[in-house]
Every structure is written in C-alpha cells, then in structure tokens.
Amino acid sequence: MLSGVVFLPTVVAALLMVVPRTRVRFFAWAWVVLASVELALIVLLWIGYIGGGRTGFAYEENIRWLPTLGSGYHIGVDGFSLPLVALTGVLFLACAIYSLREQRRTRAWVVLFLFLQTVSFGLFVSLDLLVFFVFFDLSIVAMYFIIAGWGHAGAARAALQFFLYTFIGSLALLLGFIGLYLASTPHTFDIPELVRQDPLKSSPVLAGAILFAISLGLAIKTPTVPFHTWLPPAHTEAPTAGSVILAGVLLKMGTYGFVRIAMPILPNAWRAYAMAFVIVGVISVLYGALVAMAQTNLKRMIAYTSINHMGYIILGLGAAGLATRSNVQASVLAVSGAVTQMVSHGLLTGALFLLAGVLYARGGTFDIDAYGGLATRAPVFAGLMAVAVFGSLGLPGLSGFIAEFQIFTGSLGAAPIPTALSVVGIVITASLLLRMFQRIFLGRQRQPLETDRALTTSDGADIPIKDVFSREFVSIAPLLLLSLIIGVMPRFLLGVIEPAAHALIALVGR
C-alpha cells in the first residue's frame, strides 16, 4: 500500500501524457482527483498506524535492489515520517485545487507536479540512503522546471541559482553517505542497519567530518544561514503553487534528514557538535526575522520568515543533543516541537503563499505598499490572511504556538542564552507580519495603478477588488483549519510524534 501511495501520482502522470493537450480542464481536475485519492489513502495509513499501536516503522517494504552495494528498496513510516507524508498530501491537494484555472501548458504543469508528489512521498518514507538520495536529487530537477517554466520575470536566473545551490548540497550529502557506507561492517546503505551498527562510534574525527558533509547538504536544502541565499529569489520568482511546495515540502526534506539520518546514525558526533547547531539555529532565527522586516515584496518577506522558522527547528534539534543525557524529557520535548514545527510551518506558510498568489492575481504586484484598506473590500480574504499571520507569529490556539512552546521549553535548560535570544525572533516576526497586515488591509484604501484603471466604470466609479473565489477559499481554508485543530487538540499529532522522539533520544544518548 505504501508503494502505491508513492508511485500512483507518477503512474497517473504517465497516463496523462497520452491525453491531447487541448483538454485543459481535464488535466486540472485529474490532478485534484488524484490528490484527493492520495490523501484518503494517507488517512487510512494514519488510522492503521495508530490503531496498531505502533511505535516503530510500519508498512515496511524491503526489496533487493543493488545487493552488491548493500542497498535495497527499503521504505516505511514512523512517527517522524507519517506526519510529513500527511502534510505533503494536504499541500499537493491544496495546490491542485488552487491551480484549477491554470491555462499555461496545463498538461506539463500537472505532470511535473505529479512527479514531484511521488518524489516527495518517496523521500519521506525512504529507509535506505541511496533511495533517499535519489528522491532528494529528483526533487531538485522537478522544482527547477516548475520555477523556470511558469515563474515570473526573473524565473530563469532564480531557477538556475536554486538548482546549482541545492545540487552542490546534494553532492556533499552523497559524500557523507559514502563515508557511512565505507565505515559500516558489513557495508550497507540501509538506515536501520546503520543505526544499529553506529559505525563511527570509535572514530570521532571521521564522524565529525561525515556529519559536516551530511549537515552541509541538509543545511542548504533547509536552508539555514549562511546557505540561504538561493531561497528568496526562488520564492519570489516561482509560481504560487511552486512556492507552496517549495516552502511546505522541499524545505522539510532538509530538516527531516537531520532526525532520520544525522542524529541516529552519528549520535556521538551530534552530541559533540550540538552547540554549533544551536548557534546556527539562533542566527537563522534572528537574521531571517530582521531581513524579512526590511522587505517590501510580500513573497520575499514570507521567504525570509521561512528561514526564521527553520531556525527554530535547528535550535530544537541542537538543544536536544545537548540535553540528551542530562534531561531526557527536555530533549524529547525539543525534538517533538521541531517536528511539530515542520508540520505547522508547512500549513501556515503554504497558506501565506497561496494568499500572496490571490493578491497578485488581483493587483498584478507583490509590492506591499501598493495596497491599502483591502479589508473593507475583501473581508474574507482579510480574515484568512489574519489567521495565517497570527498562526505564523505563534498565537495560542494555532499550531505555531504548540510547536514553538515545545521547542523553547525543551531548549531553555540546555541552552538558556541562545533560547532567550531566539525568543526575540518571535517579537520581530510579530512586528513585521502585523505591519504587513496593517499596510495591506487597514488604513486608507488604495490599490495598484494598473488595477485602478481596470477596476473603474466608464463614469469613474470605483469597483471593489473581488474577494476570494471558491477554489481559492477551498484551497486555503483547510490549511488554516488544520492549524487550528493542531493548536487546540494537538494530541492526535503529538501522540504519533512523541514515541518516535523518545526512540531518537534513546539512540542519540547511547
């Protein structure tokens, strides 16, 4: 069943390639139907996982692939991967619904996203380093063509920058994987077997070098400061659906790699260099928030807040390494918060990018200062944006608060000063998001000049900007509703994450 979830989108994409390109609406609705089926299957996987009372890997498949290299098609899900698989399913369905009006080369658009959906699912369920690497690299290729083919004016340059940066990161990741393979006895790329062996426990220098290579590849993908420079232009120039998947899914491939590979396979090295990750996390939190405050382009501002939110995850994982042996409960809390933040950020930032797309569709620009007073003309749009903004700044009752509270509580004892500094990031983020909301939705009414000309009658009377359309509402509102559910009733999510966090901390502390 798990392989079916992974490869069904690509099978459908192959079938769509024989359908005439003139059937534009058919491709869009085929993607919606497929994404809905995928999400239903994931819900069944979730119910089966909880119902079975599992704490380890479930739905495992292990097929010989390259036996001479000790690599196989090994997949499965646990409390870390299942929430990210579910997040991926939700975001791709939201993008499918949002893209129902896409008119430009619709068949290629849908096929690329279906392929990217398979790649994303495949990475999160991979239990073999080579399989993980294959999906990791293919995600770069798919997103490159999405940005270059459907992006804005500077898309070609942004896509090339994205590809080169992340491809270099994947090469560093591959070097680290090869190092783990050579250190294991017998040689293997199988992740559970490498975790069992702990192959570099007696070689701290080599373990540190391999951790650096793996962390470099994952840090570029995440991204963290100073490997973040590809992200703002990629988001700014990407089409709306591309930005949603890039922020909500692809960035999580980096942070997920830390909890799936770096921490359990290199526990001694992770503990030794945990403070370095804490420092990188805090720098990313503060830098991302401060630079976001200076932005006047809405998409670019959201992109920098993503760097800020990814910094919280790295902070939590680093602090967990510091407290592993002194305070197990705090370490578990920090890891649980980090994984919850992955889910929360995907939902809220995905919604923010979709709302930015709505704004661009109305006014033709992402310039924040070009708008004003939209709340009176588009109250539903303003309401959705308000929920997304308050969730992103960590308001209680939404998922952002649950995630950040766990991270700060789990990190404070092990790293008090860095954690206190990172709290400042919340204040800065709240300031910049509320200032953005005030400029666009409150105060004097204004809209872009080209829109003013288009939205006036022959006698000069103003025609209000249209509120969200039904397809836009259906794609955005469920993301915010899920954030609300997690914020009010987080047990269904934490009950899956926490057992995996306990198991991870036991491995890191051995």
Side-chain angles (χ1 to χ4, degrees), residues 12-86:
V12 173
L15 295 176
L16 291 179
M17 290 298 292
V18 302
V19 178
R21 281 179 287 184
T22 54
R23 303 188 63 180
V24 174
R25 299 284 291 171
F26 175 81
F27 295 113
W29 279 105
W31 184 15
V32 172
V33 171
L34 182 278
S36 301
V37 171
E38 287 282 271
L39 186 56
L41 292 174
I42 293 168
V43 170
L44 293 177
L45 291 176
W46 191 291
I47 294 172
Y49 186 86
I50 297 175
R54 297 181 175 90
T55 57
F57 294 112
Y59 309 108
E60 275 192 86
E61 301 175 32
N62 196 350
I63 302 171
R64 291 167 63 88
W65 180 37
L66 298 171
T68 56
L69 285 177
S71 177
Y73 172 71
H74 191 185
I75 62 172
V77 295
D78 68 350
F80 292 148
S81 56
L82 187 57
L84 295 177
V85 168

Side-chain angles (χ1 to χ4, degrees), residues 13-273:
L15 295 176
L16 291 179
M17 290 298 292
V18 302
V19 178
R21 281 179 287 184
T22 54
R23 303 188 63 180
V24 174
R25 299 284 291 171
F26 175 81
F27 295 113
W29 279 105
W31 184 15
V32 172
V33 171
L34 182 278
S36 301
V37 171
E38 287 282 271
L39 186 56
L41 292 174
I42 293 168
V43 170
L44 293 177
L45 291 176
W46 191 291
I47 294 172
Y49 186 86
I50 297 175
R54 297 181 175 90
T55 57
F57 294 112
Y59 309 108
E60 275 192 86
E61 301 175 32
N62 196 350
I63 302 171
R64 291 167 63 88
W65 180 37
L66 298 171
T68 56
L69 285 177
S71 177
Y73 172 71
H74 191 185
I75 62 172
V77 295
D78 68 350
F80 292 148
S81 56
L82 187 57
L84 295 177
V85 168
L87 172 67
T88 300
V90 168
L91 290 178
F92 271 94
L93 177 57
C95 289
I97 295 171
Y98 185 87
S99 300
L100 282 172
R101 296 294 180 89
E102 180 62 49
Q103 300 292 323
R104 299 175 296 166
R105 305 186 302 283
T106 310
R107 185 175 70 176
W109 170 267
V110 171
V111 166
L112 273 173
F113 271 99
L114 290 175
F115 174 70
L116 185 56
Q117 193 166 355
T118 282
V119 169
S120 302
F121 285 140
L123 183 138
F124 291 131
V125 303
S126 296
L127 296 178
D128 183 277
L129 293 180
L130 274 188
V131 176
F132 183 98
F133 177 78
V134 168
F135 286 124
F136 190 92
D137 251 14
L138 290 177
S139 69
I140 300 171
V141 176
M143 185 54 67
Y144 166 80
F145 284 110
I146 289 171
I147 297 173
W150 288 267
H152 301 291
R157 179 183 176 85
L160 180 61
Q161 187 177 6
F162 159 77
F163 184 88
L164 292 177
Y165 258 86
T166 50
F167 185 69
I168 290 171
S170 73
L171 293 179
L173 193 67
L174 181 60
L175 288 175
F177 288 174
I178 294 173
L180 290 175
Y181 170 81
L182 294 175
S184 60
T185 305
H187 296 325
T188 183
F189 284 105
D190 188 74
I191 293 175
E193 176 62 21
L194 286 168
V195 171
R196 186 191 66 80
Q197 288 188 22
D198 190 6
L200 292 164
K201 59 184 175 183
S202 58
S203 305
V205 176
L206 183 57
I210 292 177
L211 177 62
F212 175 78
I214 292 174
S215 298
L216 177 60
L218 298 176
I220 292 174
K221 190 80 166 185
T222 298
T224 61
V225 176
F227 310 110
H228 66 286
T229 52
W230 64 265
L231 182 66
H235 270 311
T236 303
E237 304 301 338
T240 297
S243 290
V244 172
I245 300 303
L246 180 59
V249 179
L250 267 62
L251 300 192
K252 309 309 178 297
M253 294 178 179
T255 52
Y256 173 74
F258 285 112
V259 298
R260 174 60 66 224
I261 298 169
M263 295 178 71
I265 298 179
L266 297 164
N268 294 331
W270 187 265
R271 291 197 308 271
Y273 296 99

Side-chain angles (χ1 to χ4, degrees), residues 368-390:
I368 295 173
D369 294 328
Y371 302 92
L374 294 189
T376 58
R377 292 176 283 176
V380 176
F381 179 38
L384 293 173
M385 180 66 85
V387 176
V389 163
F390 285 118

